[in-house]
Amino acid sequence: MKANPLWVVFILSSVVYSYLSLSISVEHEKEIKRPFRSFLLSLFVLLVIGSITAYLTSVTSGFNWSDGVLFGGIIL
């Protein structure tokens, strides 16, 4: 059933239809949020995860620090 190209068209059209039928409005927001603070928190968490991944990759045998930086940057 997945080999048929019509199956892919059906799945894509279902996803597009579901996205277009969403009813998101500004009236549903209750309070004004500060996006900058949550952005900095998210960036900090991602930086920590990327740094830990870079360090663990660089200390693994068969990899060097450039591989660790590359992989950590991709994760970041």
Side-chain angles (χ1 to χ4, degrees):
M1 185 157 99
K2 294 179 186 176
N4 192 349
L6 290 177
W7 179 253
V8 176
V9 172
F10 173 71
I11 293 295
L12 289 176
S13 62
S14 298
V15 168
V16 169
Y17 177 74
S18 299
Y19 177 74
L20 292 176
S21 67
L22 287 176
S23 136
I24 298 174
S25 177
V26 177
E27 289 98 28
H28 294 289
E29 295 291 329
K30 304 245 187 266
E31 62 186 54
I32 297 174
K33 297 180 181 179
R34 299 186 64 167
F36 187 70
R37 184 171 46 185
S38 64
F39 172 72
L40 286 179
L41 180 64
S42 300
L43 188 62
F44 177 72
V45 168
L46 287 174
L47 186 64
V48 168
I49 291 172
S51 300
I52 290 171
T53 304
Y55 174 73
L56 291 176
T57 303
S58 66
V59 297
T60 304
S61 63
F63 294 102
N64 53 15
W65 65 270
S66 62
D67 296 327
V69 169
L70 178 67
F71 193 64
I74 290 171
I75 295 296
L76 177 65

